[in-house]
Amino acid sequence: MFLQIISDIGATALISVILAVILVIAQRYLNDYGICKININKKREVSVKGGSTLLNSLSDQQIYLASACGGKGSCGACKCQVLTGGGPLLPTEKPLLTVKEQQDNFRLACQIKVKTDININIPESIFNIRKYKAQITEILDYTYDIKGITFKLLEPVKIDFKAGQYVQLETQPYGKVKQKTMRAYSISSKPEDTDSIQLIVRLVPEGICTTWVHKYLKVGDEVRFTGPYGDFFIRDTDADMIFIAGGSGKAPIKSILEHLQVVGTTRKMMYFFGARTEHDLYLTDEFKAFEKVFPDFQYVPVLSRCDDGSKWCARTGYIMPYLKDAIKDPKKTEAYMCGSPGMLDACQKELLALGVPQDKIYYDSFA
Amino acid sequence: MKQSPKEIKITARMQPGVITLSGFLGEDDRHYHEIIADDEKTLAAYGFSPEVIADRLEYFTNASFENFTGVEFIENLYQVETEVTRGKLPCPFSHAGLYRKTVTTLTNTKTGVTIRWSGLNIHLIREHHFFEGKGSTFRLEPELLIKTIF
């Protein structure tokens, strides 16, 4: 009886091992897609080992599509046009693609696997995106919840970006956080500083990356980021410019103005910075100083709560009521906005009502 | 309790550092199914459905959404403020879509009670009847919630 039980267990174990081996072998051959070719913009072709996601396959070729969620299919930042070879649209992609995007064959690169040759279209600017290793050289406390962090580039040692673009910072595991995370932050330094970048980061309640930046990072630490990304940069026209920002949204506008200081401009510019109280204002003297740098520039802080005795009580409440006087020729005005989505929504409505064309209102796409 | 692969995935997404810094379960050692069932009982005892609660929370959030820099007074009783930060969050139940990072803070001036909720809370309550685990940063106690917003 005992020997029979041992014999049965042995037979079951042997069958299990044989099945496992068959499965491993089958997986190896059935999932072996061989070498697949990715044709990009009908100009460039890369060969990759099939079976990985398009996002990772491109990343292995040092072509970095944006991805704020690390390839989990939740941010939609890695959208690209897949002309052939992407397979059917997956249920995980649909919620993040508009009907128009689906019709135009846009897909999430993190969701589709490269199993055959594939033809894709991506913006040419993506070829300028690199993965950087950098070291923190300075951390400034701008307000009680906003820090400015400067990163010296270690590898590669130079970056080429347009004022207003952003990078994706990679967090490392810390505390209860067991995995790496990517989050997007606008570059606040000017593009002429090619060997370093500055980011302005506001501490967000429950924010995985902002908590890491505020509570864990220190001078001397090494970090990794990819970039530059985004099409939030000033257009080369002679239109008047309205800048609107709040909180850490000051970052790209700072980069733009510092860049314009270097290259020079005679364009009419007005910058509204929305804040709750005087304690939420920062770099105010530096931005007021731009009024002496540019021939027609005005920096206008707007506080929603004005403390007694504050010298910044000239304009209070919302930014929207002040836009009317600032815009002389709506059709010849461009608006550049960065900040809380609530503020962006409200200001965009007002700008449209005042006659500023929709296609001349620019804001961060990751907002 | 044996969990299905889907339940294991959902529980994993509720852990700290996956979607939010502190996760969705807090110090609660109950399975999320139990948390949902217990909160549904509480709501039923008061005669409210999760959908009605979610609608009410959404009403306050929407009413204060565009007042991005200050407090909105609503129904002469509630002080409501909604802060919106950049970025969006996915649902831990892998529900389709992304949810804006909004935090609405409401004070009932009659009772003096202040509560807060996120945009994701509204979705979790409406679609999944999930008020989060006890000790979670955005846990909403159904009883306190009902007494504060109605």
Side-chain angles (χ1 to χ4, degrees):
Chain A
M1 177 70 177
F2 178 72
L3 283 175
Q4 181 64 44
I5 292 170
I6 295 293
S7 167
D8 288 349
I9 291 172
T12 309
L14 185 63
I15 291 167
S16 300
V17 169
I18 292 168
L19 284 173
V21 169
I22 291 169
L23 263 175
V24 168
I25 293 168
Q27 205 166 20
R28 180 165 181 169
Y29 286 98
L30 293 176
N31 286 353
D32 185 2
Y33 302 105
I35 300 298
C36 301
K37 288 175 182 170
I38 305 176
N39 185 293
I40 306 165
N41 299 349
K42 295 177 185 162
K43 287 181 189 170
R44 179 172 170 173
E45 199 166 80
V46 293
S47 296
V48 302
K49 189 173 184 309
S52 189
T53 65
L54 178 60
L55 181 71
N56 287 340
S57 299
L58 289 172
S59 174
D60 289 342
Q61 300 296 317
Q62 298 181 337
I63 299 168
Y64 301 103
L65 298 183
S67 171
C69 69
K72 295 188 182 71
S74 60
C75 72
C78 63
K79 282 173 197 172
C80 71
Q81 210 171 13
V82 179
L83 304 175
T84 59
L89 190 67
L90 301 171
T92 48
E93 298 176 82
K94 281 186 181 173
L96 295 162
L97 296 169
T98 64
V99 174
K100 176 82 169 67
E101 285 172 333
Q102 291 178 34
Q103 287 168 348
D104 292 342
N105 298 314
F106 276 89
R107 306 288 301 270
L108 297 190
C110 70
Q111 295 299 297
I112 58 177
K113 286 195 172 175
V114 181
K115 298 176 180 177
T116 179
D117 290 352
I118 189 166
N119 287 293
I120 65 171
N121 277 346
I122 57 176
E124 285 291 325
S125 59
I126 284 177
F127 295 114
N128 187 38
I129 295 167
R130 296 280 178 275
K131 189 166 192 173
Y132 290 88
K133 187 165 81 172
Q135 187 172 43
I136 297 177
T137 54
E138 185 178 54
I139 300 177
L140 299 171
D141 287 313
Y142 282 148
T143 72
Y144 58 94
D145 66 350
I146 292 177
K147 286 181 189 290
I149 305 111
T150 303
F151 303 86
K152 181 177 173 53
L153 304 183
L154 300 177
E155 190 184 339
V157 294
K158 288 194 184 300
I159 185 168
D160 177 19
F161 67 96
K162 290 181 181 175
Q165 286 191 297
Y166 68 92
V167 296
Q168 295 205 147
L169 190 60
E170 180 184 274
T171 69
Q172 297 302 311
Y174 70 94
K176 291 178 180 176
V177 180
K178 306 294 180 211
Q179 57 191 29
K180 292 179 180 179
T181 307
M182 302 287 280
R183 290 288 186 272
Y185 297 100
S186 296
I187 302 170
S188 53
S189 49
K190 61 183 181 293
E192 287 74 16
D193 298 337
T194 56
D195 61 350
S196 66
I197 61 163
Q198 191 207 38
L199 305 180
I200 293 177
V201 180
R202 177 168 169 258
L203 181 62
V204 175
E206 283 292 287
I208 292 175
C209 190
T210 63
T211 301
W212 180 66
V213 169
H214 272 252
K215 310 282 187 192
Y216 287 83
L217 284 186
K218 55 188 185 304
V219 170
D221 285 351
E222 284 187 12
V223 300
R224 282 169 173 74
F225 65 84
T226 56
Y229 297 96
D231 53 9
F232 182 72
F233 45 80
I234 54 168
R235 271 51 182 177
D236 189 15
T237 68
D238 61 352
D240 297 346
M241 289 192 281
I242 298 284
F243 299 109
I244 298 169
S248 58
K250 182 171 267 185
I253 314 297
K254 175 175 175 286
S255 178
I256 287 170
L257 291 174
E258 288 182 353
H259 167 65
L260 288 176
Q261 183 177 12
V262 173
V263 299
T265 184
T266 55
R267 292 170 71 174
K268 177 180 167 56
M269 298 182 284
M270 199 153 187
Y271 178 9
F272 293 96
F273 182 71
R276 286 165 189 258
T277 71
E278 192 173 348
H279 301 294
D280 296 298
L281 295 177
Y282 63 101
L283 293 173
T284 306
D285 291 340
E286 287 81 351
F287 279 83
K288 288 300 280 183
F290 281 123
E291 292 178 351
K292 291 177 182 165
V293 171
F294 302 114
D296 196 349
F297 174 82
Q298 199 180 347
Y299 178 61
V300 185
V302 180
L303 298 184
S304 61
R305 295 177 200 163
C306 195
D307 300 327
D308 288 343
S310 170
K311 63 177 179 177
W312 300 110
C313 288
R315 291 178 179 83
T316 57
Y318 296 113
I319 289 173
M320 290 84 79
Y322 302 108
L323 293 174
K324 190 176 179 183
D325 288 340
I327 296 171
K328 303 299 174 204
D329 182 356
K331 301 290 178 215
K332 223 191 112 194
T333 298
E334 294 168 357
Y336 297 89
M337 308 194 293
C338 189
S340 122
M343 183 181 78
L344 298 191
D345 283 1
C347 288
Q348 178 164 256
K349 279 182 196 165
E350 183 65 17
L351 288 166
L352 291 171
L354 291 170
V356 178
Q358 174 82 65
D359 63 355
K360 289 187 178 174
I361 301 173
Y362 306 99
Y363 47 84
D364 269 348
S365 59
F366 62 92
Chain B
M1 187 171 78
K2 191 168 171 57
Q3 294 192 90
S4 69
K6 188 179 175 186
E7 289 171 324
I8 291 169
K9 189 179 172 189
I10 291 169
T11 306
R13 285 164 66 86
M14 288 183 176
Q15 300 307 308
V18 180
I19 292 176
T20 62
L21 184 61
S22 305
F24 297 85
L25 297 171
E27 290 137 16
D28 210 320
D29 55 8
R30 293 174 294 169
H31 190 277
Y32 70 82
H33 283 314
E34 292 176 70
I35 297 171
I36 289 169
D38 289 347
D39 288 337
E40 281 176 337
K41 277 183 202 163
T42 306
L43 286 183
Y46 283 91
F48 284 91
S49 69
E51 291 76 15
V52 169
I53 301 280
D55 287 348
R56 185 73 170 156
L57 294 177
E58 192 167 46
Y59 158 73
F60 286 118
T61 295
N62 289 344
S64 55
F65 180 75
E66 285 193 359
N67 189 349
F68 48 86
T69 55
V71 175
E72 194 78 23
F73 290 91
I74 298 172
E75 297 175 5
N76 295 319
L77 182 61
Y78 305 102
Q79 287 183 2
V80 191
E81 189 172 11
T82 291
E83 188 176 7
V84 191
T85 49
R86 302 201 307 185
K88 291 176 180 175
L89 293 173
C91 167
F93 292 87
S94 296
H95 210 104
L98 292 169
Y99 303 89
R100 263 183 172 168
K101 290 182 183 174
T102 64
V103 177
T104 301
T105 306
L106 174 145
T107 299
N108 182 320
T109 56
K110 192 174 171 186
T111 63
V113 172
T114 297
I115 55 170
R116 69 170 184 166
W117 62 87
S118 68
L120 190 52
N121 274 129
I122 297 172
H123 166 78
L124 292 175
I125 291 170
R126 177 178 290 124
E127 300 295 336
H128 307 287
H129 303 183
F130 184 55
F131 291 72
E132 303 199 7
K134 289 189 185 295
S136 169
T137 309
F138 282 93
R139 161 75 180 170
L140 288 163
E141 287 296 342
E143 189 177 353
L144 181 68
L145 191 54
I146 289 165
K147 289 178 177 173
T148 305
I149 64 173
F150 290 103

